[in-house]
Amino acid sequence: MVQAVHHHRPTLKQQNKPFKSKHASKGSLKEAAKGRLANTTPKQLSATSTASQLRQNRRNQLKQAQTHKRHALVSATRIFNGVDGAPRVVAIVPLTQDVDPRNTAVSLQESLDVPTNDIPDSGIWRLSADRFKTSLQFVTVPYNRFYSALDACKVADYVVFALSSEVEVGPWGDTLLRALQAQGLPEVVTVVSSPSPMDTKSKPGIMKSLLSFIQYFVPSQTRVFDLHASSDKLNAVRALCEGKPEDVRWREGRTHLLGESVQWDDGTLSVTGVVRGAPLSANRLVHLPNYGDFQISKIMSAPLRKHSKGGHVGGMDVEPTLLAEPDEESADSLVSSNDPDDMANEQTWPTEEEMRGAPGDSEIGDDAVPEASKGTTPKAVKKIPKGMSEYQASWIIDETDDEEGEESKEGPEEMEEEEEMVDMPIRDEDDTEMGTDGRRSVAFQDLDMEEEDKQLKTWRGRKREEDDDLAFPDEIDTPMDVTARTRFQRYRGLRSFRTSPWDPYENLPRDYARIFQFEDYKRTERNVRRRAGEEGYGIEPGTRVTVYLKDVPQDAAQGHGYPFAIFSLLQHEHKKIRSFSALARGVSASTQFTVNILVVAVKGPTTPTSSNDTFDMAQLTSPQCTDPLSLATSPALS
C-alpha cells in the first residue's frame, strides 16, 4: 500500500515581494520581457544616443533667446538714447498731503549734480541726464487732483509714487490707486519724500510697511527708495534712466503725444510735442480728451536748438519743415454713424414712359381729364351765408322750390340787407363718420336686453383677450371655428429656433440702420494693424513735431486740463458699432450681467471693449467720466 503524501493548499503558499525593476539586471529584464521589444520611434532612438547634442541644443536655444531679448531692449530704448533723443516722461504723483511733488523732483535732480534753480513750481520741464546719456521730462501733479493724475499717467513712461513716513495714505490716495489699476499703469518707482528724515531705529519697520502697502496695488515693486539717502536717490534716478519702460496694453499700436505748448488760432489748434508709441499718420483722426475727435490739417517738424560740443545750446534756430499732410482719398472722415435712407425700400414714383405704357392708356387722350372716383364728389350743393360754419349750416332747413318762388316775388324793399351767399357741398351721412367739429360722432341706439347682453359679453371677451396678450405676449390661442392653417397663413413657421435658417436683419429697429457693420471683424483688425506697422506709414516715434488740428473750439486751448495730451485713433475707430459685454461689480464675478453697449469706437480708446475685459462700476457711474480714454481697461481693436 502506497502511503499518501500530504500537500498544502496553493492558497497558503507564501508570495514574496519581487525586486524592483530599477535594481534588476539586464538578463532578468530580458527574461521578464519574454522576447517583447519596446516600441521606440526613430526620434526617440536618436535622442537617447545623442545626449551631448541635446546639451548643445539647449545652450544654443538659450543664447538665441538672450540675443532676441537684447535686440528687443535696444530697439525699444533707441528713441531715448543720446542728447537729442526723446525724453522719458516721468509723472510724479503724491499720495499724501504733506508731500510736495516739486521737492521730490528737486531731490531726484540733485543726485545728477545739476543746478535746481530753474525748476518751475508746476508744469513740464526737461532734465538732461548726461551721466546716463538720456533725458527726463518731469510732470508734477498736485495733491487732490484726481483727473490730472489719471491724464498724467496715460502718457507717462514712468510713474513715481511719493509716500510719506509720517502721514498714512488717505481715502483719496486709495481711490486713485484703484482707478490707476483699472486704467493701466506703466513702470512704477516708489519713493519716500517726507519733509523730515526718518529715525534710524524706526526706518526699517516704516520702509517694510510702505513696501507692503504699495505691493498690494503694484505687486511688481521690490523696493522703496528713501530720497533722504544719497545712494537711494541715485538708484531711483538709475531706475528711471535705464531699462525699458513697461508699456500699457491699450497704448499698443496707438500714437500719443504730450503737449509741451498749445496754441489756438482761428479754429486751428497747434500742439507741439514728441511722437510716442506708434508712428503718427496724418490720415487718421486725433482724439482730444473731453472735446472729441478731430482731423489733422498738417504736421510740421519742431526741432530743438542744436547742442554744441561743450554741451551748451547754440543760438541758431532750425526752420520747421512740412512732414505730412492728409490725403483726401484715404483720410478718415468724422462720420460716426450711418445716415439711413427711409425711401430706399419704398416704391418709386412711376415715370412718364411707364404711365404712357399703362394698360387702357390708349382710350384716354393726352388732354382728356380722367373721371373722378366714386364717392369723391358731393351729391348736392347748398347756398349758405359767407362765414357760416358747417355746424351752423346744418341747422338751416332746406327750402322747397315753391317757397323759393314765393320769396322771389316779394319786392326788394322788404329785404333790409342781402347777404352774400357761397356754395357748400352736402355730404351723405353714410359717406362720413366724422362730426362737424372733427371728432368722431357716436350713434346712440335704444337696444333691447338681449342685444345689450350680447354686446357686453363681446366687450368682456375682447378685454380678456387684451389682458392675456399683455401677460403672455408670445402665446396665442388657436381659434375654434377657423383652421390653424388659414388663421396663421401670414406667419412663417420654424421647425427649430436653433437649426432653421432665418434672416437676422429682418424686422430690426430703425436705429440698427445707423450702425456700421464689418463683414469680418478679425480680418479687418489684422489689416488695420498690419498697415499701421508697415514702414513709411507715418512719422516715426521720437520725432518732435507740431500737429495742427482743424475745427477745434477755442475752449479746448483756453480751459484745457493739465497735462494736455492727444491720442491718435486707428482706422474705423471713430465709427459706432454694437457690442455685447459682461460687466461685473467689484472684484467678484458672481453677479455678472450682459448689456448692449453702443460705443463710439470699434474697440477703441473707449478703449475700447471685449468680452474678456472688466470695468469698475465706479468709473462707469462717475458724473465727470466723459472721456472714453479714461476707461482704458480695454484695448482698442483687440
Side-chain angles (χ1 to χ4, degrees):
M1 182 176 179
V2 180
Q3 189 177 1
V5 181
H6 176 72
H7 296 279
H8 291 283
R9 289 179 298 174
T11 56
L12 299 179
K13 289 184 178 180
Q14 181 178 357
Q15 299 290 338
N16 296 327
K17 182 179 179 181
F19 291 102
K20 295 183 179 180
S21 59
K22 65 179 182 178
H23 299 297
S25 61
K26 293 182 179 180
S28 60
L29 291 176
K30 185 182 299 185
E31 184 181 357
K34 302 294 184 180
R36 294 189 300 268
L37 298 178
N39 186 15
T40 58
T41 61
K43 184 177 181 181
Q44 292 177 348
L45 291 175
S46 61
T48 55
S49 61
T50 57
S52 60
Q53 186 178 1
L54 284 178
R55 188 181 302 109
Q56 187 66 25
N57 291 340
R58 288 196 301 268
R59 289 178 180 177
N60 292 336
Q61 186 177 5
L62 293 176
K63 185 178 180 180
Q64 291 175 0
Q66 184 181 11
T67 306
H68 178 71
K69 290 182 179 180
R70 184 179 291 109
H71 289 331
L73 178 62
V74 170
S75 61
T77 58
R78 184 179 291 115
I79 64 172
F80 304 121
N81 297 335
V83 181
D84 296 331
R88 298 170 183 257
V89 181
V90 180
I92 301 178
V93 181
L95 298 180
T96 56
Q97 192 172 3
D98 61 334
V99 174
D100 187 6
R102 183 182 181 277
N103 294 337
T104 303
V106 169
S107 300
L108 295 174
Q109 191 168 348
E110 288 176 351
S111 62
L112 298 174
D113 299 332
V114 178
T116 59
N117 299 330
D118 55 345
I119 296 180
D121 295 335
S122 62
I124 304 174
W125 76 93
R126 187 167 179 169
L127 171 64
S128 179
D130 297 335
R131 179 174 181 176
F132 300 99
K133 298 181 180 179
T134 185
S135 59
L136 302 176
Q137 191 173 27
F138 289 103
V139 181
T140 57
V141 180
Y143 180 76
N144 206 12
R145 296 284 296 274
F146 185 80
Y147 290 99
S148 297
L150 291 179
D151 293 340
C153 294
K154 288 178 187 176
V155 295
D157 298 320
Y158 294 90
V159 177
V160 176
F161 286 132
L163 301 175
S164 175
S165 60
E166 301 174 357
V167 180
E168 294 183 355
V169 178
W172 181 86
D174 185 85
T175 305
L176 177 63
L177 290 174
R178 295 182 185 275
L180 290 175
Q181 271 187 320
Q183 176 179 277
L185 275 172
E187 196 73 22
V188 176
V189 175
T190 308
V191 299
V192 179
S193 180
S194 54
S196 58
M198 292 178 285
D199 186 20
T200 307
K201 294 183 179 180
S202 60
K203 180 178 178 179
I206 295 175
M207 298 292 286
K208 185 177 181 180
S209 176
L210 294 177
L211 179 60
S212 176
F213 169 78
I214 200 63
Q215 280 181 342
Y216 179 79
F217 299 98
V218 189
S220 61
Q221 291 295 286
T222 58
R223 184 178 179 182
V224 177
F225 300 99
D226 182 15
L227 296 186
H228 291 283
S230 59
S231 59
D232 280 5
K233 287 193 293 185
L234 185 59
N235 290 332
V237 174
R238 179 178 286 108
L240 297 175
C241 296
E242 294 181 351
K244 174 184 176 297
E246 183 180 355
D247 200 359
V248 187
R249 182 182 176 187
W250 65 267
R251 289 196 310 200
E252 295 178 357
R254 181 172 289 101
T255 309
H256 60 276
L257 186 144
L258 177 61
E260 301 175 5
S261 64
V262 181
Q263 296 179 358
W264 184 87
D265 183 18
D266 195 15
T268 301
L269 182 70
S270 60
V271 184
T272 303
V274 180
V275 178
R276 315 299 294 272
L280 177 61
S281 175
N283 295 327
R284 305 283 81 87
L285 298 179
V286 171
H287 177 78
L288 195 60
N290 301 324
Y291 291 97
D293 303 335
F294 301 93
Q295 291 179 324
I296 297 177
S297 60
K298 61 180 179 179
I299 302 177
M300 303 288 293
S301 64
L304 296 173
R305 294 182 178 180
K306 293 294 183 179
H307 290 73
S308 61
K309 295 183 178 180
H312 302 286
V313 180
M316 295 183 59
D317 295 335
V318 181
E319 292 294 333
T321 58
L322 180 63
L323 297 180
E325 282 184 335
D327 188 5
E328 296 181 358
E329 297 181 357
S330 58
D332 294 342
S333 64
L334 293 174
V335 178
S336 60
S337 60
N338 186 26
D339 189 10
D341 187 6
D342 296 335
M343 304 300 294
N345 298 328
E346 298 293 336
Q347 183 179 2
T348 58
W349 188 261
T351 61
E352 296 181 359
E353 298 177 357
E354 294 176 348
M355 295 179 67
R356 293 193 189 99
D361 188 45
S362 59
E363 300 178 0
I364 303 176
D366 296 339
D367 300 334
V369 179
E371 296 182 358
S373 302
K374 184 179 180 180
T376 59
T377 57
K379 296 183 179 181
V381 179
K382 183 169 62 175
K383 296 284 186 179
I384 61 172
K386 185 178 180 180
M388 183 176 291
S389 64
E390 187 178 355
Y391 174 76
Q392 294 173 345
S394 63
W395 290 93
I396 299 177
I397 302 175
D398 296 337
E399 300 174 351
T400 59
D401 297 338
D402 297 337
E403 294 176 353
E404 291 178 359
E406 294 176 0
E407 291 181 0
S408 61
K409 295 179 182 179
E410 297 179 358
E413 63 277 359
E414 296 180 2
M415 300 180 62
E416 299 179 356
E417 183 180 358
E418 183 179 358
E419 297 181 359
E420 184 180 357
M421 309 298 286
V422 296
D423 297 338
M424 183 191 73
I426 300 176
R427 303 178 185 176
D428 254 355
E429 294 181 357
D430 299 337
D431 296 341
T432 177
E433 296 182 358
M434 301 298 295
T436 56
D437 56 349
R439 293 175 293 183
R440 186 177 296 275
S441 61
V442 180
F444 294 94
Q445 300 177 4
D446 189 9
L447 305 176
D448 55 357
M449 296 298 295
E450 295 181 358
E451 186 66 21
E452 288 185 357
D453 292 343
K454 182 179 179 180
Q455 291 185 4
L456 181 60
K457 291 180 181 179
T458 303
W459 178 82
R460 287 179 177 174
R462 186 167 62 252
K463 185 70 169 60
R464 190 181 302 109
E465 291 178 359
E466 293 177 356
D467 296 341
D468 293 343
D469 184 62
L470 184 62
F472 307 98
D474 56 344
E475 297 181 4
I476 188 171
D477 296 334
T478 304
M480 302 296 296
D481 54 343
V482 183
T483 60
R485 181 186 299 273
T486 306
R487 172 63 180 84
F488 303 108
Q489 61 183 356
R490 297 196 328 178
Y491 294 84
R492 183 178 71 252
L494 293 179
R495 185 178 298 273
S496 173
F497 278 100
R498 183 178 61 86
T499 59
S500 298
W502 60 0
D503 188 6
Y505 303 102
E506 184 179 2
N507 298 331
L508 288 177
R510 184 181 182 277
D511 291 339
Y512 275 70
R514 300 175 55 246
I515 304 173
F516 289 95
Q517 183 183 11
F518 295 94
E519 184 178 356
D520 191 343
Y521 178 80
K522 292 295 183 182
R523 183 178 61 185
T524 305
E525 175 191 354
R526 290 193 299 267
N527 293 337
V528 168
R529 293 191 175 274
R530 177 180 53 81
R531 287 193 297 266
E534 291 178 354
E535 187 176 357
Y537 174 76
I539 301 172
E540 293 298 325
T543 309
R544 194 171 187 269
V545 298
T546 301
V547 181
Y548 291 87
L549 307 178
K550 56 184 178 181
D551 300 333
V552 181
Q554 190 174 3
D555 297 341
Q558 293 180 352
H560 65 80
Y562 172 77
F564 190 87
I566 60 176
F567 301 85
S568 69
L569 303 181
L570 297 174
Q571 192 178 10
H572 310 303
E573 203 170 10
H574 182 69
K575 296 180 176 60
K576 292 181 180 178
I577 66 167
R578 188 170 182 261
S579 175
F580 295 91
S581 300
L583 304 183
R585 184 179 181 87
V587 181
S588 176
S590 58
T591 57
Q592 289 189 353
F593 54 94
T594 304
V595 296
N596 300 335
I597 304 176
L598 187 63
V599 292
V600 188
V602 168
K603 291 265 183 182
T606 77
T607 27
T609 55
S610 69
S611 58
N612 298 328
D613 298 323
T614 57
F615 296 88
D616 190 358
M617 296 300 294
Q619 289 185 337
L620 296 177
T621 57
S622 175
Q624 301 182 14
C625 186
T626 58
D627 177 20
L629 284 175
S630 61
L631 297 180
T633 57
S634 174
L637 279 172
S638 59

